[in-house]
C-alpha cells in the first residue's frame, strides 16, 4: 500500500468526520494536513519496526588493529569517502547499496569465516560487544579481517511530497499503524473528547500488536545467509 492509499484509508476510517478530511469519492486527507499526518505515520512505523523485526540488513566492517569500536554510521562509509576527520572508512559498502543510517538494533555478528560470534558475553574471550545500539566493539581486532553485522533496520522515512512511496508492512499490522497515527493526531487536540479518542486508539494499537505477537503472524524467524560475504569472496 502506498502513502496516498493510506491517506484514503485513514480518511475513510480512523480520521473520518475530522477537519483533516476532504472529498466525497474518493475521500482523502487535506493537502495542508498531509505533512503532519505523514510525520505521525513515520513515528508509527518506527514503533512497529522496533517492536517487530520487519527488516533485517547487514553491513561488512573492515577491521584495523588500532580500532576497537566501530560505529555503524554513514560517516564511515566507503561509498561516501573521503569525509573530513575520517582517516579510515571501515564500512565496506562500495560494491552495493550505501549504508543509510537505518539501524535500530544489532542482532548478530559473523566472523571472517562466516561463523556467528557471541555477543555481550563477558565469559568468552572472543565475544563482541554492543555498548550502544549502533556500535560494535571488537576487543582484539586484526587488521585485514572483516566481520558481518546483521541488524534490525527501520522503514524508510516517508514524505508527503512522494505520495506513491510504498509503506512496507505485513497486512496484519496496517490496522495497528492506523490506530497509532490516530492516537498521535487526536492527542494534539485540546479537548476531553479528543483525549478519550486518543487513548482508545492507543489501546487498539496495543491490542492488535499483542494479537499479532500471540499468533506469530509476523514471524521473527529468519535464515542468515551471509550473502555479502559470499558475493564478495570472503568465504
Amino acid at each position: 500500500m502506498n502513502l496516498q492509499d493510506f491517506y484514503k484509508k485513514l480518511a475513510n476510517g480512523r480520521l473520518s468526520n475530522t477537519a483533516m478530511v476532504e472529498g466525497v469519492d474518493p475521500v482523502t486527507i487535506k493537502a495542508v494536513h498531509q505533512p503532519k499526518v505523514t510525520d505521525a505515520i513515520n513515528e508509527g512505523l518506527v514503533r512497529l519496526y522496533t517492536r517487530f523485526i520487519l527488516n533485517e540488513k547487514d553491513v561488512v566492517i573492515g577491521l584495523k588493529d588500532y580500532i576497537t569500536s566501530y560505529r555503524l554510521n554513514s560517516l564511515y562509509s566507503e561509498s561516501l569517502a573521503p569525509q573530513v576527520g575520517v582517516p579510515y572508512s571501515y564500512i565496506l559498502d562500495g560494491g552495493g547499496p550505501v549504508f543509510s543510517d537505518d539501524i535500530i538494533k544489532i542482532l548478530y555478528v559473523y566472523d571472517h569465516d562466516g561463523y556467528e560470534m557471541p555477543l555481550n558475553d563477558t565469559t568468552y574471550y572472543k565475544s563482541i560487544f554492543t555498548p550502544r545500539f549502533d556500535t560494535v566493539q571488537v576487543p582484539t581486532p586484526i587488521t585485514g579481517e572483516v566481520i558481518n553485522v546483521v541488524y534490525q533496520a527501520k522503514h524508510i522515512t516517508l514524505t508527503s511530497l512522494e505520495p506513491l512511496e510504498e509503506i512496507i508492512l505485513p497486512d496484519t499490522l496496517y490496522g495497528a499503524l492506523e490506530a497509532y497515527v490516530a492516537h498521535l493526531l487526536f492527542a494534539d487536540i485540546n479537548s476531553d473528547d479528543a483525549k478519550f479518542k486518543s487513548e482508545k486508539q492507543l489501546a487498539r494499537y496495543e491490542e492488535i500488536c499483542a494479537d499479532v505477537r500471540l499468533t506469530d503472524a509476523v514471524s521473527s524467524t529468519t535464515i542468515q545467509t551471509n550473502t555479502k560475504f559470499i558475493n564478495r569472496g570472503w568465504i
Side-chain angles (χ1 to χ4, degrees), residues 69-73 76 103-107 119-120 129-137:
S69 289
Y70 298 84
R71 186 182 175 203
L72 304 188
N73 186 285
Y76 305 99
I103 183 170
I104 294 174
K105 180 183 179 181
I106 294 167
L107 299 174
L119 272 185
N120 301 310
F129 296 91
T130 54
R132 291 177 25 151
F133 77 96
D134 65 346
T135 301
V136 174
Q137 187 177 69

Side-chain angles (χ1 to χ4, degrees), residues 48 52 54 169-177 208-209 211-212 215-219:
L48 288 170
F52 301 97
L54 300 175
L169 276 179
D171 289 344
T172 51
L173 286 178
Y174 277 108
L177 181 59
I208 293 172
C209 288
D211 183 60
V212 169
T215 60
D216 196 28
V218 178
S219 176

Side-chain angles (χ1 to χ4, degrees), residues 6 9-11 21 35 43 52 56 58 70-71 75 81 100 105 127 141 171 181 188 192 195-196 207 209 216 224:
F6 196 69
K9 191 172 180 64
L10 287 168
V21 172
E43 175 63 23
F52 301 97
E56 280 191 18
D58 65 317
Y70 298 84
R71 186 182 175 203
L75 181 66
S100 57
K105 180 183 179 181
S127 179
D171 289 344
V181 169
D188 283 344
D192 290 339
K195 181 179 179 181
F196 172 77
E207 180 184 349
C209 288
D216 196 28
Q224 300 303 322

Side-chain angles (χ1 to χ4, degrees), residues 64-80:
K64 290 285 188 181
D65 57 14
Y66 56 87
I67 301 175
T68 57
S69 289
Y70 298 84
R71 186 182 175 203
L72 304 188
N73 186 285
S74 58
L75 181 66
Y76 305 99
S77 167
E78 180 183 59
S79 294
L80 302 178

Side-chain angles (χ1 to χ4, degrees), residues 86-101:
V86 179
Y88 174 54
S89 300
Y90 49 73
I91 296 178
L92 306 182
D93 57 354
V98 178
F99 180 73
S100 57
D101 296 320

Side-chain angles (χ1 to χ4, degrees), residues 36-53:
K36 182 175 183 178
V37 172
T38 304
D39 285 345
I41 293 170
N42 282 322
E43 175 63 23
L45 287 169
V46 169
R47 297 284 181 175
L48 288 170
Y49 269 66
T50 300
R51 179 170 291 203
F52 301 97
I53 301 176

